Amino acid sequence: DTAVSQTPKYLVTQMGNDKSIKCEQNLGHDTMYWYKQDSKKFLKIMFSYNNKELIINETVPNRFSPKSPDKAHLNLHINSLELGDSAVYFCASSQRWGLDTQYFGPGTRLTVL
Amino acid sequence: AQSVTQPDIHITVSEGASLELRCNYSYGATPYLFWYVQSPGQGLQLLLKYFSGDTLVQGIKGFEAEFKRSQSSFNLRKPSVHWSDAAEYFCAVGAGQAGTALIFGKGTTLSVSS
């Protein structure tokens, strides 16, 4: 059973398009996250939701909008894609807000042409 | 500002040899420290974590790490490396609100030679 899943695994698109990445966790966790891993493999947190409420919103362009329809899902919508958005995006979840182990999904490799 | 430094970008170790991956952190309060491993094309898997207590932490797959406050270090060790250990290793510190935002180092790529 997959604990944290992401779709799609690969996403290739043109500049200017709008795309979404979906994340689902079946662990019953309260908190979910989005991380971005750049071409140099540097990982940085983008957003965090706790019980569907946005808690962390790092310095991310407002073209990126997370949406949490329920505690098990945290989707990432990106408007007007740019070349610099090419990266691997990881979703993660933890049982509760606060210091806790984060479980990561397999990642979505986004390539913007 | 909080930060994590992994001084070694790439390490090659012979199969069966011992391994030590270095991690230094900068954090004002008591740090919460993690080691994650990322196999090619995969997500991150937690190897071990340190929150408090015993400074020598045991993890999965035979890994251990030692927290040394005086050196601001949390080095990862394994006594005998297997070929399947070849992967990217990330050290992280829990920061921000309640330690929830993980700040990662830039990773160390481990290659295992036969």
Side-chain angles (χ1 to χ4, degrees), chain A residues 9 31 33 35 37 40-45 48 55-56 58 90 97-107, chain B residues 32 34 36 38 41-46 49 51 88 90 94 97-107 109:
Chain A
K9 190 166 184 179
T31 310
Y33 313 80
Y35 286 85
Q37 186 177 43
K40 296 184 179 179
K41 297 189 178 179
F42 183 54
L43 272 156
K44 187 173 181 182
I45 191 165
S48 174
I55 302 295
I56 293 175
E58 290 295 309
F90 286 99
W97 175 250
L99 195 64
D100 203 358
T101 299
Q102 295 184 24
Y103 296 85
F104 283 77
Chain B
Y32 304 109
F34 306 81
Y36 280 85
Q38 184 181 22
Q42 303 296 314
L44 283 79
Q45 181 182 23
L46 180 69
K49 61 188 178 186
F51 287 176
E88 191 81 19
F90 292 94
Q97 297 185 37
T100 296
L102 292 180
I103 295 175
F104 285 88
K106 294 191 175 181
T109 302

Side-chain angles (χ1 to χ4, degrees), chain A residues 40-85:
Chain A
K40 296 184 179 179
K41 297 189 178 179
F42 183 54
L43 272 156
K44 187 173 181 182
I45 191 165
M46 301 173 69
F47 301 104
S48 174
Y49 270 72
N50 185 55
N51 286 320
K52 302 195 300 174
E53 180 183 349
L54 180 64
I55 302 295
I56 293 175
N57 184 355
E58 290 295 309
T59 308
V60 176
N62 57 15
R63 298 181 294 103
F64 290 78
S65 54
K67 286 184 173 55
S68 182
D70 54 57
K71 285 200 314 183
H73 296 84
L74 180 61
N75 303 324
L76 183 65
H77 189 76
I78 316 170
N79 289 326
S80 303
L81 278 156
E82 300 177 357
L83 293 177
D85 297 332

Side-chain angles (χ1 to χ4, degrees), chain B residues 57-101:
Chain B
V57 180
Q58 301 297 320
I60 63 171
K61 303 184 180 185
F63 285 92
E64 66 177 26
E66 186 170 12
F67 169 60
K68 292 185 177 180
R69 185 185 299 275
S70 62
Q71 298 177 19
S72 298
S73 69
F74 188 56
N75 294 347
L76 182 71
R77 302 193 293 249
K78 186 171 184 177
S80 177
V81 168
H82 188 262
W83 64 266
S84 61
D85 293 324
E88 191 81 19
Y89 290 80
F90 292 94
C91 182
V93 63
Q97 297 185 37
T100 296

